[in-house]
């Protein structure tokens, strides 16, 4: 991983660029005279080296100090606002720097920096580097509880997989020591004695840039401060930072956008992350395609595709599976008990925290993926183990359960909220395209199947009662469950598992047509993996393969209809409230076409299997 790092290859190229002084020469007396005539000053012109084809006409009203290397300027570049301007150095102070064929215009101090070809540095207060810069390689970020026990060693292009390994799959001491040594060597190899503004990058209208690496084709416009930070970027996935942003001691990967007063401190923003609208991210790692606006993320590892679009708080969270959403006013952050900030939360994949919820710590919801906490609910410290659940306010008047408990409806999100689930999967597929694998967030991910199967088994009670708590059913957390809800949950989980098993069996015969004559029970014996075999044993299978395929087709049709039923309910409710609902609420055409195409592909596929069965 470290050998293939983008930073490693770029660092070698930059060191070579700075060391290549062979084609440079000293200024002639005529060139010095011309430079001074154009308002330029230098204490010692002998320390200014220039390209063999250098001409002084594009340097005006500037001051040079220390060792400076200048190119033969030619051509023009675009300033922000699409204003074309000749390359060169104008109205700037340049100290101990190398400038390639770029534009440096109205820079208060350019010190110890390599400005690469086609870059624009315009109206910048100071762009300064001092000493060797290690670019956060090997630095530690403490996530989860704020006592610092969960440290992740980072480098600029670290991946989510490597973060997961460090947090949840710790190696033997000798393995960790070897990793530390690799980071140390990588840190030494890539350390640069100068800052970098990469090829085609734009740094404009920015106050302070210190000890930072600005990647190729990055655009930094109107930032307040960038300090001790790596900003990776490329022509294909340029990184944009603009409008009063502060970024310090952080790693920013390709395709990231940070804007509108956002503040990022001591963090890693992975590919395509967006942070904006005065959001605050501190001591955190955001995995690819997270969107954080207006909220605060502190001491957290946030997995891919999580969204916070409103004022909300996420603190001390370990959310490796991501794909969730935090609503306005949600406080996912009671990380201490008035003594020490030593508590944390682990949300499950696809979890939704509703408007104004208060989530008390410690809390572990990782075994409850795609669970929804209803608006205004306050949850107690707990471990919950029921996927696709709804947590809603309890009934203080209910006899037989403590008034503090909320009510849980396991499986509700699967049976009653199909539209929201599939629409989320559609959004994940679009936003994560080319960056987050579709298998990461699939509804039938093996880990989700295992968690549903485990929940299904725990719902099999030996004594039926009207109400259940964690004393009766393991994994209910600080919630109660009604008997009719338990029955509905068993049906929901059973149908989910049935869809999973039927899909496995149909995939078997699709991969090997010689199995078309086998019965479903015979096919079940061919399944591999303990989980698949265990789940298949609890599912009642039809007698023939033909019946199995038709049953699966019914299940798929039911799901498709449930998705559109959810949409129809929203439309019907809206029409009751607003006279002009239809004209003011356009249909989500992209999602509907995606859902129809998914269903039609399933129908076509199953028809082909039936045809092959004969």
């Amino acid at each position: 991983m470290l050998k293939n790092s983008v930073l490693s290859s770029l660092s070698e190229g930059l060191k070579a660029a700075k060391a290549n002084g062979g084609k440079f020469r000293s200024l002639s007396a005529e060139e010095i005279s011309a430079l001074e005539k154009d308002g330029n000053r230098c204490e010692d012109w002998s320390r200014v080296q220039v390209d063999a084809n250098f001409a002084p006409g594009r340097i005006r009203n500037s001051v040079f100090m220390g060792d400076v290397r200048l190119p033969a300027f030619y051509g023009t570049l675009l300033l922000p606002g699409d204003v074309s301007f000749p390359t060169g150095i104008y109205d700037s102070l340049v100290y101990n720097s190398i400038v390639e064929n770029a534009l440096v215009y109205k820079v208060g101090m350019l010190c110890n920096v390599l400005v690469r070809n086609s870059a624009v540095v315009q109206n910048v207060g100071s762009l300064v580097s001092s000493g060797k810069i290690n670019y956060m390689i090997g630095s530690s970020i403490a996530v989860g509880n704020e006592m610092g026990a969960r440290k992740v060693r980072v480098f600029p292009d670290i991946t989510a997989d490597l973060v997961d390994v460090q947090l949840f799959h710790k190696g033997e001491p000798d393995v960790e020591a070897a990793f530390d040594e690799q980071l140390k060597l990588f840190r030494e190899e890539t350390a640069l004695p100068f800052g970098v503004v990469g090829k085609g990058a734009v740094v404009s209208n920015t106050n302070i840039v210190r000890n930072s690496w600005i990647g190729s084709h990055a655009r930094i416009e109107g930032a307040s401060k960038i300090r001790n930070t790596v900003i990776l970027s490329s022509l294909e996935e340029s990184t944009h930072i603009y409008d009063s942003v502060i970024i310090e001691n952080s790693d920013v990967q390709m395709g990231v956008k940070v804007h509108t007063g956002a503040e990022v401190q001591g963090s890693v923003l992975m590919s395509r992350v967006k942070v904006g609208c005065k959001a605050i991210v501190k001591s955190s790692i955001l995995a690819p395609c997270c969107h954080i606006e207006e909220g605060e993320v502190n001491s957290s590892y946030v997995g891919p595709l999580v969204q916070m679009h409103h004022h909300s708080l996420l603190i001390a969270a370990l959310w490796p599976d991501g794909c969730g959403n935090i609503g306005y006013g949600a406080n996912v952050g009671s990380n201490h008990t008035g003594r020490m900030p030593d508590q944390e939360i682990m949300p499950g994949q696809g979890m939704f925290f509703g408007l104004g919820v208060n989530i008390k710590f410690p809390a572990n919801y990782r075994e409850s993926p795609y669970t929804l906490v209803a608006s205004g609910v306050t949850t107690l410290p707990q471990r919950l183990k029921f996927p696709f659940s709804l947590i809603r306010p309890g009934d203080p008047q209910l006899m037989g359960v403590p008034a503090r408990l909320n009510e849980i409806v396991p499986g509700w999100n699967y049976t009653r909220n199909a539209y929201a689930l599939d629409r989320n999967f559609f959004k994940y597929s679009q936003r994560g395209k080319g960056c987050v694998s579709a298998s990461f967030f699939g509804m039938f991910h093996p880990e989700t199947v295992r968690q549903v199967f485990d929940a299904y088994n725990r719902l099999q009670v030996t004594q039926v009662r009207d109400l259940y708590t964690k004393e009766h059913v393991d994994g209910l957390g600080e919630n109660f469950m009604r008997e009719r809800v338990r029955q509905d949950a068993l049906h929901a989980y059973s149908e989910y598992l049935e869809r999973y098993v039927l899909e496995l069996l149909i995939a078997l015969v699709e991969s090997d047509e010689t199995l078309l004559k086998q019965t479903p029970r015979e096919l079940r014996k061919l399944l591999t993996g303990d989980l698949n075999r265990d789940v298949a044993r609890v599912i009642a299978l039809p007698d023939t393969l033909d019946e199995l395929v038709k049953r699966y087709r019914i299940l798929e049709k039911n799901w498709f209809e449930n998705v559109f039923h959810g949409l129809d309910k929203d439309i019907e409710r809206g029409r009751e409230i607003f006279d002009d609902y239809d004209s003011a609420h356009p249909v989500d055409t992209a999602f509907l076409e995606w859902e129809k195409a998914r269903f039609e592909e399933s129908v076509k596929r199953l028809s082909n299997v039936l045809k092959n069965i004969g």
Side-chain angles (χ1 to χ4, degrees):
M1 177 67 197
L2 297 178
K3 291 181 180 179
N4 297 327
S5 168
V6 172
L7 203 66
S8 181
S9 58
L10 289 176
S11 178
E12 290 301 316
L14 295 176
K15 288 177 181 177
K18 186 168 186 182
N20 183 21
K23 65 175 183 176
F24 286 85
R25 60 173 177 81
S26 299
L27 290 163
S28 67
E30 291 79 7
E31 288 169 335
I32 293 173
S33 177
L35 287 166
E36 291 180 343
K37 184 179 179 181
D38 285 336
N40 301 295
R41 297 291 178 266
C42 181
E43 291 180 348
D44 184 357
W45 285 111
S46 68
R47 297 180 68 178
V48 178
Q49 299 287 299
V50 298
D51 183 88
N53 298 316
F54 172 80
R58 295 195 178 196
I59 302 176
R60 296 180 183 177
N61 302 318
S62 295
V63 177
F64 297 91
M65 302 174 66
D67 297 318
V68 176
R69 191 181 298 172
L70 304 176
F73 290 112
Y74 62 91
T76 60
L77 293 171
L78 287 179
L79 293 172
D82 293 336
V83 177
S84 181
F85 206 90
T87 60
I89 301 174
Y90 309 91
D91 302 301
S92 299
L93 190 157
V94 180
Y95 178 86
N96 273 1
S97 295
I98 299 174
V99 179
E100 297 182 353
N101 186 40
L103 173 59
V104 178
Y105 178 49
K106 289 191 176 180
V107 178
M109 169 72 80
L110 181 72
C111 175
N112 209 29
V113 176
L114 170 60
V115 182
R116 308 237 44 199
N117 285 316
S118 302
V120 173
V121 184
Q122 177 249 339
N123 198 27
V124 173
S126 63
L127 202 165
V128 175
S129 297
S130 57
K132 279 203 170 185
I133 309 170
N134 296 301
Y135 297 117
M136 295 293 290
I137 297 170
S139 299
S140 292
I141 296 177
V143 297
N145 75 77
E146 293 181 274
M147 304 304 292
R150 299 186 190 273
K151 292 183 178 179
V152 180
R153 287 151 294 183
V154 301
F155 55 95
D157 39 6
I158 190 171
T159 64
D161 287 342
L162 193 49
V163 175
D164 286 353
V165 167
Q166 293 186 70
L167 285 174
F168 308 113
H169 308 284
K170 290 187 178 292
E172 297 297 325
D174 56 336
V175 175
E176 294 200 15
F179 180 56
D180 286 338
E181 184 63 25
Q182 286 186 22
L183 282 174
K184 180 181 177 182
L185 292 174
F186 182 49
R187 183 184 178 103
E188 293 171 353
E189 290 171 358
T190 55
L192 296 175
F194 51 87
V196 177
V197 179
K199 294 180 179 180
V202 174
V203 183
S204 72
N205 302 315
T206 292
N207 189 21
I208 297 172
V209 180
R210 292 279 192 280
N211 295 341
S212 295
W213 177 313
I214 311 302
S216 300
H217 304 284
R219 295 189 69 90
I220 301 172
E221 301 181 38
S224 291
K225 178 168 57 178
I226 297 175
R227 190 192 302 269
N228 301 329
T229 290
V230 175
I231 298 172
L232 298 180
S233 182
S234 67
L235 180 61
E236 296 76 18
E237 288 197 270
S238 62
T239 296
H240 290 225
I241 297 169
Y242 53 93
D243 295 349
S244 304
V245 163
I246 296 175
I247 305 180
E248 295 186 289
N249 304 310
S250 296
D251 291 328
V252 178
Q253 296 185 4
M254 295 186 185
V256 167
K257 286 182 172 58
V258 186
H259 63 92
T260 320
E263 181 178 348
V264 179
Q265 301 275 359
S267 298
V268 174
L269 309 183
M270 294 189 186
S271 299
R272 298 192 203 167
V273 163
K274 293 182 181 179
V275 180
C277 300
K278 299 183 180 180
I280 298 173
V281 179
K282 291 185 177 180
S283 188
S284 295
I285 300 172
L286 305 187
C289 304
C290 286
H291 291 183
I292 313 296
E293 293 185 1
E294 297 186 333
E296 178 181 349
V297 180
N298 200 326
S299 301
S300 296
Y301 169 45
V302 184
L305 297 160
V306 168
Q307 298 188 79
M308 293 173 64
H309 285 314
H310 308 283
H311 291 290
S312 54
L313 171 66
L314 179 67
I315 190 169
L318 300 171
W319 200 346
D321 303 317
C323 299
N325 200 307
I326 300 179
Y328 178 87
N331 291 308
V332 187
S334 299
N335 69 320
H336 60 82
T337 56
R339 294 183 290 274
M340 294 189 299
D342 59 350
Q343 302 301 323
E344 57 199 351
I345 183 173
M346 188 175 289
Q349 185 173 60
M351 198 163 180
F352 185 94
F353 295 96
L355 303 176
V357 303
N358 292 289
I359 309 299
K360 294 186 178 182
F361 290 12
N364 187 343
Y365 297 98
R366 194 173 186 185
E367 295 156 291
S368 303
Y370 303 104
T371 284
L372 188 154
V373 183
S375 299
V377 167
T378 295
T379 62
L380 296 172
Q382 62 185 293
R383 181 171 188 169
L384 189 67
K385 299 192 287 186
F386 284 94
F388 299 103
S389 292
L390 169 67
I391 300 175
R392 60 191 181 192
D395 183 355
Q397 306 302 319
L398 196 63
M399 299 294 292
V401 297
R404 70 179 187 277
L405 298 186
N406 293 311
E407 181 176 4
I408 186 171
V409 186
W412 179 92
N413 225 10
Y414 180 80
T415 56
R416 305 289 298 277
N417 210 18
Y419 170 58
L421 279 176
D422 258 20
R423 186 170 180 273
N424 280 337
F425 291 132
F426 165 70
K427 290 192 296 184
Y428 302 154
S429 68
Q430 299 303 302
R431 198 161 7 113
K433 186 177 293 184
C435 192
V436 180
S437 170
S439 63
F440 178 82
F441 52 78
M443 185 161 62
F444 292 95
H445 187 284
E447 187 60 21
T448 305
V449 174
R450 184 193 66 76
Q451 291 160 346
V452 170
F453 182 55
D454 178 57
Y456 174 81
N457 288 330
R458 283 184 284 104
L459 286 174
Q460 313 290 336
V461 297
T462 55
Q463 181 180 350
V464 175
R465 56 182 70 233
D466 292 334
L467 300 168
Y468 302 87
T469 64
K470 64 183 179 182
E471 283 71 31
H472 313 118
V473 177
D474 178 44
L476 284 180
E478 296 299 315
N479 310 281
F480 70 86
M481 177 179 64
R482 303 174 192 268
E483 166 58 16
R484 60 177 174 78
V485 167
R486 185 186 73 87
Q487 294 290 343
D488 290 343
L490 280 170
H491 179 267
Y493 289 155
S494 176
E495 184 175 294
Y496 171 95
L497 295 172
E498 184 181 8
R499 284 180 70 192
Y500 176 72
V501 170
L502 298 190
E503 167 63 31
L504 289 178
L505 297 179
I506 290 169
L508 273 179
V509 299
E510 285 180 314
S511 64
D512 184 355
E513 291 188 359
T514 63
L515 300 176
L516 288 169
K517 301 302 181 184
Q518 302 273 1
T519 67
R521 290 175 180 78
E522 291 170 332
L523 289 172
R524 180 167 56 188
K525 298 175 183 177
L526 301 178
L527 292 175
T528 59
D530 292 341
L531 173 64
N532 293 341
R533 289 193 291 266
D534 290 343
V535 173
R537 275 194 287 268
V538 304
I539 300 301
L541 296 176
D543 293 329
T544 67
L545 184 57
D546 180 83
E547 292 174 326
L548 182 146
V549 175
K550 290 178 180 177
R551 170 61 181 165
Y552 189 48
R553 189 164 61 184
I554 290 172
L555 291 174
E556 287 291 282
K557 184 173 183 288
N558 289 344
W559 179 261
F560 177 74
E561 290 175 347
N562 284 342
V563 170
F564 277 80
H565 177 64
L567 175 60
D568 291 341
K569 282 174 59 181
D570 287 350
I571 293 173
E572 181 181 345
R573 181 179 56 194
R575 287 171 176 167
E576 292 174 354
I577 298 172
F578 296 103
D579 294 334
D580 62 346
Y581 184 85
D582 289 340
S583 61
H585 295 78
V587 175
D588 189 352
T589 305
F591 165 65
L592 297 183
E593 290 179 350
W594 178 85
E595 183 67 23
K596 289 177 181 177
R598 185 199 66 79
F599 177 63
E600 288 169 1
E601 179 61 30
S602 176
V603 171
K604 180 180 177 182
R605 173 192 174 210
L606 296 177
S607 297
N608 287 336
V609 174
L610 286 172
K611 181 179 178 181
N612 291 334
I613 293 173

